């Protein structure tokens, strides 16, 4: 059940950036929904739609080559961010992470989605990081902090199925964990699948002397300890993933 907050000004903004208007009658709008954000927080944001467990707003990402890619961002109280792309009428990309949407849009300076993904606020494109929409995302990151205040997910490596070179995955955020999680499940994963930077099989492999440094706060060359190895948390497990690991974690968390 959803309720839309949509004005004539929003329609003008949609036309200006090349997007499609969200109907104010879409999904009804007479029910009581969970208040994730106050009216003050959302007042100047365009295309707002409140639903039972998330808030949806218009978003986008601009490529100097391809122009604006317009989409809809869903913000959940769990901290999850989910984007449905509407860059073209036939685009079927949905449930994208912000970093994956950033890559899909063709943004040249990828890996900075907090600044590159924008929201329309009072008629202007504003980086999502400068809006209240990331408050639940930021809270969820605290679950990935260990008792000594350091991140508890160390860097991981995955080998390309084409060139067999090891590529580093940083696991400091939910998006980065999801990127590695999906890559690990992809039996055909290769260098070109990396959603940030522009890797190809022609790029040099990271030196072995450098690969021993994996981000452990206890010891720079740690091979795995309770400080840097996580066995499951809200940052590295995903409720929308059907793999056995995520399913078991979600079931146990609800229990």
């Amino acid at each position: 059940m959803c309720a839309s907050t949509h004005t004539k000004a929003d329609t003008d903004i949609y036309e200006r950036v090349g997007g499609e208007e969200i109907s104010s009658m879409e999904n009804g709008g007479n029910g009581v929904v969970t208040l994730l954000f106050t009216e003050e927080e959302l007042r100047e944001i365009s295309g707002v739609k409140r639903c039972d467990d998330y808030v949806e707003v218009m978003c986008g990402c601009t490529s100097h080559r391809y122009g604006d890619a317009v989409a809809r961002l869903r913000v959940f109280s769990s901290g999850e961010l989910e984007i449905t792309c509407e860059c073209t009428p036939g685009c079927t990309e949905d449930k994208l992470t912000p970093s994956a949407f950033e890559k899909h849009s063709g943004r040249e300076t990828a890996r900075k989605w907090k600044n590159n993904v924008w929201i329309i606020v009072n008629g202007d494109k504003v980086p999502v990081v400068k809006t209240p929409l990331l408050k639940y995302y930021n809270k969820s990151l605290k679950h990935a902090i260990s008792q000594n205040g350091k991140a508890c997910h160390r860097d991981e490596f995955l080998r390309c199925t084409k060139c067999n070179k090891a590529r580093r995955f940083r696991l400091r955020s939910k998006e980065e964990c999801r990127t590695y999680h999906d890559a690990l499940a992809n039996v055909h994963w290769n260098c070109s699948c990396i959603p940030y930077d522009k890797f190809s099989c022609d790029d040099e492999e990271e030196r072995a002397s450098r690969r021993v440094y994996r981000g452990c706060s206890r010891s720079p060359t740690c091979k795995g300890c309770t400080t840097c190895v996580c066995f499951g948390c809200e940052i590295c497990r995903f409720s929308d993933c059907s793999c056995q690991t995520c399913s078991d974690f979600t079931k146990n968390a609800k229990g």
Side-chain angles (χ1 to χ4, degrees), residues 99-140:
S99 58
F101 171 62
E102 181 186 46
K103 180 185 179 183
H104 174 69
S105 71
R107 175 73 187 193
E108 292 79 7
T109 55
R111 208 179 182 181
K112 297 181 179 178
W113 65 265
K114 291 183 181 181
N115 291 304
N116 290 336
V117 174
W118 45 258
I119 308 297
I120 293 295
V121 180
N122 200 24
D124 296 319
K125 297 175 185 176
V126 176
V128 66
V129 70
K130 295 184 178 180
T131 73
L133 297 174
L134 295 187
K135 71 176 183 179
Y136 292 103
Y137 169 82
N138 293 330
K139 286 180 180 179
S140 72

Side-chain angles (χ1 to χ4, degrees), residues 217-249:
S217 61
R218 185 187 62 83
S219 173
T221 57
C222 175
K223 295 183 179 180
C225 68
T226 55
T227 298
C228 64
V229 177
C230 178
F231 294 97
C233 70
E234 292 182 5
I235 303 302
C236 62
R237 299 291 182 263
F238 310 94
S239 60
D240 62 338
C241 178
S242 59
C243 77
Q244 192 63 51
T245 301
C246 289
S247 297
D248 288 346
F249 177 83

Side-chain angles (χ1 to χ4, degrees), residues 9-239:
D10 294 338
T11 303
D12 296 336
I13 294 166
Y14 268 74
E15 292 174 350
R16 177 144 55 96
V17 299
E20 294 182 356
E21 181 179 353
I22 300 175
S23 170
S24 61
M25 297 301 292
E26 188 174 69
N27 291 320
N30 295 321
V32 177
V33 295
T34 303
L35 186 63
L36 300 181
F37 298 93
T38 65
E39 290 294 335
E40 182 67 26
E41 288 175 317
L42 301 178
R43 180 172 299 165
E44 297 180 336
I45 295 178
S46 296
V48 174
K49 184 168 65 176
R50 297 178 180 270
C51 295
D52 286 340
D53 57 347
Y54 64 86
V55 167
E56 183 177 282
V57 302
M58 173 192 173
C59 72
C61 190
T62 302
S63 163
H64 297 300
R65 181 177 181 182
Y66 302 108
D68 292 331
V70 180
R72 299 184 188 185
L73 167 67
R74 289 184 176 181
V75 180
F76 295 85
S77 61
S78 64
E80 290 187 67
L81 303 173
E82 183 180 288
I83 294 179
T84 299
C85 186
E86 297 179 343
C87 60
T88 62
C91 183
T92 58
E93 294 291 338
D94 63 355
K95 294 186 177 181
L96 296 172
T97 64
S99 58
F101 171 62
E102 181 186 46
K103 180 185 179 183
H104 174 69
S105 71
R107 175 73 187 193
E108 292 79 7
T109 55
R111 208 179 182 181
K112 297 181 179 178
W113 65 265
K114 291 183 181 181
N115 291 304
N116 290 336
V117 174
W118 45 258
I119 308 297
I120 293 295
V121 180
N122 200 24
D124 296 319
K125 297 175 185 176
V126 176
V128 66
V129 70
K130 295 184 178 180
T131 73
L133 297 174
L134 295 187
K135 71 176 183 179
Y136 292 103
Y137 169 82
N138 293 330
K139 286 180 180 179
S140 72
L141 291 183
K142 295 180 181 179
H143 293 284
I145 303 299
S146 61
Q147 291 183 350
N148 63 358
K150 301 297 182 179
C152 63
H153 296 92
R154 66 176 185 167
D155 297 349
E156 297 291 351
F157 288 87
L158 193 61
R159 289 195 175 276
C160 173
T161 56
K162 292 183 177 180
C163 67
N164 199 40
K165 293 176 181 176
R167 300 304 187 191
R168 181 185 293 267
F169 286 79
R170 287 174 52 86
L171 307 182
R172 303 296 186 270
S173 69
K174 194 172 184 69
E175 282 70 29
E176 289 176 339
C177 285
R178 185 57 185 261
T179 297
Y180 174 68
H181 179 84
D182 291 347
L184 197 61
N186 182 0
V187 295
H188 301 296
W189 185 87
N190 59 75
C191 295
S192 64
C193 296
I194 297 177
Y196 47 81
D197 297 333
K198 290 189 176 180
F199 269 99
S200 72
C201 293
D202 294 330
D203 292 316
E204 291 295 325
E205 184 178 31
E206 191 172 314
R207 296 191 304 272
S209 59
R210 176 61 185 166
R211 291 203 300 270
V212 299
Y213 296 95
R214 299 178 64 171
C216 178
S217 61
R218 185 187 62 83
S219 173
T221 57
C222 175
K223 295 183 179 180
C225 68
T226 55
T227 298
C228 64
V229 177
C230 178
F231 294 97
C233 70
E234 292 182 5
I235 303 302
C236 62
R237 299 291 182 263
F238 310 94
S239 60

